[in-house]
């Protein structure tokens, strides 16, 4: 056992631990929904600390997360967990075990009394009722409780309900997450002719969008937009697209790149180059869009068009953690991602109506891009918050059309109502207010 470090819990983290502790095993599997950067692993570690006699399994879906989670448990809970991961050549089971969902088998689950499933939105064969051991408490954690545009929880699903939830807006206003601002990138990809397969843009069609001349213009824009940014994560369509972007950026400055064709040691070397060196850019396909924890990221460039609100929210989440000297996170959208997925605060997903019948979200993106500066603002904003550009033209009211025919006649002028007549005494008020 290692010596635990002292980490102060935030109030919502303490609330989550208390709710989970109070929930009996038969009321699970249940979900805890919290944004990227809210400290979900801190909650895992405190659950492990307050359940010293329970054999606990923490399930994660990436090799990188196995090691990262194990380190955090050791630091916060003071326990060195066993690791069960084939890719790490370790298949040990202990009082506390961190395992990859690809390696652990369903028959192993019966050895545990408490199962914590990180990134619970990811599909795997373990998510089946028959795999939950009798008397075992199973809690899933996710920042994005949906796959495609459908929620992952319902009465007839593995996760039947949400036990506890916090939103990006709540944690940002409380000062626990960094604010973000979004801007439409110059020369964005045109996806109007891209086919849709199983609710997502067709991968082959997206790869066909990668034209060197087009990407060159995007990178020129990216370098200008990020001149004052310190760490930029770039999300690409494919490995080939990754390499084109990396080569173009490296004509101006160093860039790190990680993708699935690189070995584990090569990926770790590239991440170290980005995190500890002078390199500002990290280019990837999916490797850093989920589960990657590097708080210094202050810009996310979405160069991969997608219709997946999960991918959008997870990718932008990389830049929402607090970091000294970081004021906000800039999101640059080169793929019409915001248009098709909504925003991190208001993703376009299927919701439940009052009659509990599934219904599609309206499909109306809650924001619009200013035609002058490109920054996204509220859909009904009259002026751009960034540059002051007038977005809604106000039509002057023709006062000559007002008649004396009705005592109820009134017109709205600059937010005020002009009343033709009003009986002050009838409503018990004076003319002086």
């Amino acid at each position: 056992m290692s010596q635990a470090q002292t980490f102060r819990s935030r109030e919502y983290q303490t609330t989550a631990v208390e709710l989970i502790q109070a929930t009996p095993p038969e009321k699970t599997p249940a979900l805890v929904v919290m944004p990227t950067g809210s400290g979900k692993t801190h909650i895992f570690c405190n659950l492990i600390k307050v359940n010293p006699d329970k054999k606990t399994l923490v399930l994660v879906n990436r090799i990188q997360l196995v090691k990262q989670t194990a380190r955090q448990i050791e630091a916060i809970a003071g326990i060195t967990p066993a690791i069960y991961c084939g890719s790490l050549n370790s298949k040990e089971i202990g009082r506390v075990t961190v395992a990859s969902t690809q390696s652990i088998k369903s028959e192993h689950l019966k050895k545990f009394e408490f199962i914590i499933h990180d990134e619970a939105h990811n599909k795997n064969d373990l998510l089946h009722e028959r795999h939950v051991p009798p008397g075992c408490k199973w809690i899933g954690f996710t920042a994005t409780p949906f796959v495609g545009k459908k929620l992952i929880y319902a009465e007839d699903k593995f996760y039947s309900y949400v036990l506890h939830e916090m939103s990006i807006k709540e944690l940002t206003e409380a000062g626990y997450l960094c604010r973000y601002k979004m801007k439409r990138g110059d020369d964005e990809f045109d996806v109007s002719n891209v086919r849709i397969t199983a609710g997502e843009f067709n991968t082959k069609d997206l790869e066909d969008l990668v034209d060197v001349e087009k990407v060159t213009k995007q990178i020129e824009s990216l370098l200008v937009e990020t001149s004052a940014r310190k760490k930029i994560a770039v999300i690409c369509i494919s490995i080939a697209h990754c390499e084109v972007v990396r080569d173009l950026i490296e004509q101006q400055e160093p860039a790190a790149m990680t993708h699935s064709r690189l070995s584990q040691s090569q990926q770790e070397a590239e991440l170290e180059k980005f995190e500890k060196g002078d390199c500002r850019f990290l280019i990837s396909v999916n490797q850093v869009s989920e589960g990657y924890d590097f708080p210094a990221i202050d810009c996310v460039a979405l160069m991969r068009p997608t219709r997946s609100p999960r991918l959008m929210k997870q990718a932008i989440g990389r830049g929402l953690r607090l970091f000294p000297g970081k004021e906000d996170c800039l999101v640059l959208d080169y793929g019409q991602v915001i248009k098709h997925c909504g925003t991190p605060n208001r993703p376009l997903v299927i919701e439940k109506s009052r009659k509990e019948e599934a219904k599609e979200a309206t499909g109306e993106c809650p924001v619009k891009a200013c035609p002058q500066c490109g920054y996204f603002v509220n859909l009904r904003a009259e002026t751009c918050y960034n540059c002051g550009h007038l977005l809604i033209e106000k039509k002057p009211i023709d006062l000559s059309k007002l008649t004396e025919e009705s005592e109820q006649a009134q017109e709205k002028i600059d937010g005020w109502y002009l009343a033709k007549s009003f009986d002050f005494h009838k409503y018990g008020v004076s003319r002086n207010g």
Side-chain angles (χ1 to χ4, degrees), residues 218-364:
Q218 291 176 341
I219 297 305
E220 290 173 352
S221 162
L222 178 65
L223 289 169
V224 172
E225 296 287 355
T226 61
S227 59
R229 298 284 158 172
K230 297 179 179 179
K231 294 292 179 180
I232 304 102
V234 184
I235 313 299
C236 295
I237 293 170
S238 63
I239 293 174
H241 184 206
C242 240
E243 292 173 341
V244 170
V245 170
R246 190 271 313 271
D247 292 345
L248 288 170
I249 291 176
E250 286 203 325
Q251 292 178 13
Q252 301 295 324
E253 60 179 278
M257 178 179 69
T258 176
H259 54 66
S260 59
R261 286 187 192 163
L262 297 179
S263 67
Q264 188 64 28
S265 60
Q266 287 175 313
Q267 291 189 50
E268 289 176 357
E270 290 293 301
L271 291 175
E272 185 173 4
K273 175 182 174 182
F274 173 65
E275 295 174 7
K276 299 181 180 179
D278 295 330
C279 169
R280 293 194 306 137
F281 289 90
L282 176 61
I283 303 122
S284 76
V285 183
N286 290 319
Q287 275 61 34
V288 300
S289 61
E290 181 179 302
Y292 179 61
D293 181 1
F294 185 55
I297 292 174
D298 59 356
C299 178
V300 177
L302 303 173
M303 289 193 163
R304 172 185 175 175
T306 181
R307 291 173 57 86
S308 168
R310 179 188 62 80
L311 180 59
M312 173 275 298
K313 191 170 181 178
Q314 289 282 351
I316 294 176
R318 299 312 108 199
L320 300 187
R321 289 180 171 86
L322 300 176
F323 190 74
K326 176 177 163 182
E327 295 183 1
D328 56 36
C329 176
L330 173 64
V331 179
L332 294 171
D333 183 6
Y334 291 89
Q336 297 185 20
V337 176
I338 304 302
K339 173 183 177 181
H340 292 101
C341 300
T343 70
N345 277 321
R346 291 180 59 190
L348 297 177
V349 297
I350 291 175
E351 300 172 341
K352 291 282 186 180
S353 69
R354 290 182 180 178
K355 295 181 180 179
E356 296 301 313
E357 296 175 350
K359 66 174 183 178
E360 184 94 28
T362 61
E364 182 181 50

Side-chain angles (χ1 to χ4, degrees), residues 46-63:
N46 279 289
L47 286 167
I48 290 168
K49 286 176 72 174
V50 298
N51 289 282
D53 300 324
K54 290 186 183 292
K55 289 197 71 173
T56 302
L57 173 66
V58 180
L59 290 170
V60 296
N61 69 316
R62 292 174 184 266
I63 299 169

Side-chain angles (χ1 to χ4, degrees), residues 54-57 80-83 92-98 111-112:
K54 290 186 183 292
K55 289 197 71 173
T56 302
L57 173 66
T80 302
I83 289 179
E92 298 178 359
I93 290 179
R95 206 278 288 174
V96 177
T97 304
V98 180
K111 299 179 181 180
F112 298 95

Side-chain angles (χ1 to χ4, degrees), residues 195-214:
R195 292 171 294 172
I196 298 174
T197 304
E200 178 60 295
F201 288 125
N202 181 275
T203 304
K204 177 63 171 62
D205 288 1
L206 288 180
E207 290 173 347
D208 291 341
L209 295 177
V210 182
D211 172 83
V212 174
E213 183 178 351
K214 177 83 169 177

